């Protein structure tokens, strides 16, 4: 198990370094930089801009700037905002709790709805239950979040008045954006769980369990479902990464605070340090989440651990 953890950790570091390099390269080769943003608000003197670039180290070669950036990152310095001069990491950590709350609530809805409908759809294949579950899954995948979000606002906020349409105050303001995101995640989970369950229930070990006289409920929910969870966990991990990375559309539609709203505002203001910081922070979340998923595979199915370790 220790060998597996070390291998996964080293792989995560390589992916993280690659992400850091890509993010920095994109920012470096853009036709504008942070000085252009600052000068557009204060001065247009070329000499002032040149001096400012020298002070910020933007006149240094690519490799030197990249090494400096890596050093700053390891010290927890993601740069400072070009708009208000506030440290980027402070801006991210201030908005992150709202995004975490929205993401966790949404993934709970997605997991509960997706797993339930996916299992029921597979167990009751080609029945009305199966058709309804597949329609719900297709709706979740097909509908853009901005459209479903506006639809929920029209029905449950404007027409019925049950929930507020905007804001981040209280649990009631969390319901509609969570359902909007949860439906998207549930749609993917339904399809993955259904397909996985249909493959597993035709495996030889399922036939053996039936021959031993086990009830269909025990076979489906204790044995088949456990094996079907592996691809479902992969999908859930990807969805969590998307949600935590910043739900830009949903947080904008519902006027909520969060990392997604932060990066959307930064794009409008051309605040490159904030955009770069949020993108790399998102990459860190993806790497950590995928590392946890890889480890969870081994806990769910010991055969995977033996294969990974070459035994």
């Amino acid at each position: 198990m220790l060998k597996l953890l070390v291998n996964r950790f080293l792989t995560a570091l390589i992916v993280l370094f690659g992400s850091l390099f890509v993010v920095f390269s994109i920012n470096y080769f853009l036709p504008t930089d942070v000085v252009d943003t600052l000068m557009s608000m204060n001065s247009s003197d070329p000499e002032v801009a040149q001096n400012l670039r020298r002070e910020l180290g933007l006149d240094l070669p690519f490799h030197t700037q990249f090494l400096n950036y890596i050093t700053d990152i390891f010290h927890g310095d993601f740069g400072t905002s070009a708009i208000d001069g506030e440290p980027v990491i402070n801006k991210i950590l201030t908005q992150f709790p709202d995004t975490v709350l929205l993401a966790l609530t949404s993934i709970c809805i997605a997991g509960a709805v997706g797993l339930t409908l996916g299992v029921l759809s597979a167990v009751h294949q080609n029945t009305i239950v199966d058709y309804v579950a597949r329609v719900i899954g297709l709706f979740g995948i097909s509908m853009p979040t901005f459209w479903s979000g506006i639809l929920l606002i029209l029905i449950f906020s404007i027409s019925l008045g049950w929930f507020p349409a905007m804001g981040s105050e209280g649990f009631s303001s969390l319901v509609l954006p969570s359902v909007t995101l949860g439906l998207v995640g549930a749609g993917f989970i339904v399809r993955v769980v259904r397909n996985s369950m249909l493959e597993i229930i035709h495996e030889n070990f399922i036939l053996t369990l039936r021959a031993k006289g086990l009830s269909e409920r025990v076979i489906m929910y204790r044995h088949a479902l456990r094996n079907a969870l592996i691809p479902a966990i992969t999908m859930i991990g990807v969805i969590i990464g998307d949600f935590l990375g910043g739900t830009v559309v949903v947080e904008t539609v519902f006027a909520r605070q969060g990392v997604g709203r932060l990066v959307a505002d930064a794009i409008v203001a051309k605040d490159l340090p904030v955009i770069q910081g949020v993108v790399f922070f998102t990459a860190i979340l993806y790497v950590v989440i995928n590392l946890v998923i890889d480890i969870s595979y081994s806990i769910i199915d010991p055969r995977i651990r033996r294969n990974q370790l070459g035994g």
Side-chain angles (χ1 to χ4, degrees):
M1 189 64 179
L2 180 60
K3 182 180 178 181
L4 174 63
L5 292 176
V6 172
N7 290 338
R8 286 292 176 264
F9 182 73
L10 292 176
T11 302
L13 286 180
I14 294 173
V15 173
L16 197 59
F17 180 83
S19 302
L20 180 63
F21 181 80
V22 171
V23 170
F24 180 83
S25 298
I26 292 175
N27 185 59
Y28 180 85
F29 290 108
L30 283 175
T32 61
D33 57 21
V34 63
V35 173
D36 294 322
T37 303
L38 292 172
M39 297 302 295
S40 66
M41 298 184 297
N42 299 296
S43 172
S44 58
D45 188 345
E47 185 176 349
V48 174
Q50 185 177 1
N51 292 334
L52 188 55
R53 284 191 175 89
R54 188 180 303 110
E55 291 178 9
L56 296 175
L58 298 178
D59 60 333
L60 299 173
F62 175 84
H63 65 279
T64 304
Q65 290 191 42
F66 183 56
L67 290 176
N68 291 338
Y69 184 64
I70 292 177
T71 303
D72 292 339
I73 288 293
F74 275 107
H75 286 87
D77 182 5
F78 282 63
T80 57
S81 170
I83 303 300
D84 55 20
E86 183 180 351
V88 172
I89 189 63
N90 290 353
K91 282 179 166 288
I92 294 174
L93 295 180
T94 299
Q95 302 294 335
F96 191 56
D98 290 306
T99 298
V100 169
L101 181 60
L102 175 59
L104 292 181
T105 307
S106 302
I107 200 63
C108 287
I109 294 173
V113 174
L115 289 173
T116 301
L117 293 181
V119 172
L120 291 176
S121 179
V123 173
H124 302 283
Q125 185 181 12
N126 297 327
T127 65
I128 186 64
V129 175
D130 182 22
Y131 296 141
V132 171
R134 290 163 66 182
V135 168
I136 294 175
L138 182 62
F139 177 84
I141 294 174
S142 304
M143 295 300 103
T145 51
F146 74 87
W147 185 89
S148 56
I150 293 174
L151 183 64
L152 290 176
I153 290 175
L154 289 174
I155 297 174
F156 295 102
S157 181
I158 296 177
S159 298
L160 299 176
W162 290 357
F163 305 103
M166 299 179 180
S168 306
E169 299 297 328
F171 175 77
S172 59
S173 66
L174 185 64
V175 175
L176 294 184
S178 297
V179 172
T180 301
L181 282 176
L183 287 176
V184 177
F188 287 102
I189 295 173
V190 166
R191 297 184 65 177
V192 170
V193 172
R194 180 182 184 274
N195 294 337
S196 182
M197 284 285 291
L198 289 177
E199 291 180 3
I200 290 171
I201 60 180
H202 293 100
E203 295 285 344
N204 291 332
F205 80 94
I206 296 294
L207 299 176
T208 302
L209 292 174
R210 288 194 177 115
K212 289 182 177 181
L214 271 69
S215 68
E216 197 68 16
R217 179 179 296 273
V218 172
I219 292 174
M220 289 297 170
Y221 294 102
R222 181 177 299 178
H223 298 280
L225 180 58
R226 180 175 181 179
N227 288 274
L229 281 178
I230 294 176
I233 288 176
T234 302
M235 180 58 64
I236 290 174
V238 173
I239 294 171
I240 292 175
D242 288 338
F243 290 172
L244 288 179
T247 51
V248 179
V249 175
V250 171
E251 288 178 352
T252 301
V253 168
F254 290 94
R256 288 185 57 84
Q257 297 299 313
V259 176
R261 182 78 178 277
L262 174 65
V263 74
D265 292 342
I267 291 172
V268 173
K270 298 181 180 179
D271 195 346
L272 296 180
V274 173
I275 299 172
Q276 180 174 278
V278 171
V279 171
F280 181 62
F281 187 79
T282 303
I284 295 175
L285 292 177
Y286 267 96
V287 169
V288 172
I289 290 170
N290 279 280
L291 180 61
V292 173
I293 291 172
D294 284 342
I295 295 173
S296 68
Y297 288 161
S298 304
I299 298 175
I300 295 174
D301 191 345
R303 295 173 300 176
I304 295 178
R305 180 170 63 248
R306 288 195 295 269
N307 292 334
Q308 289 173 331
L309 295 177

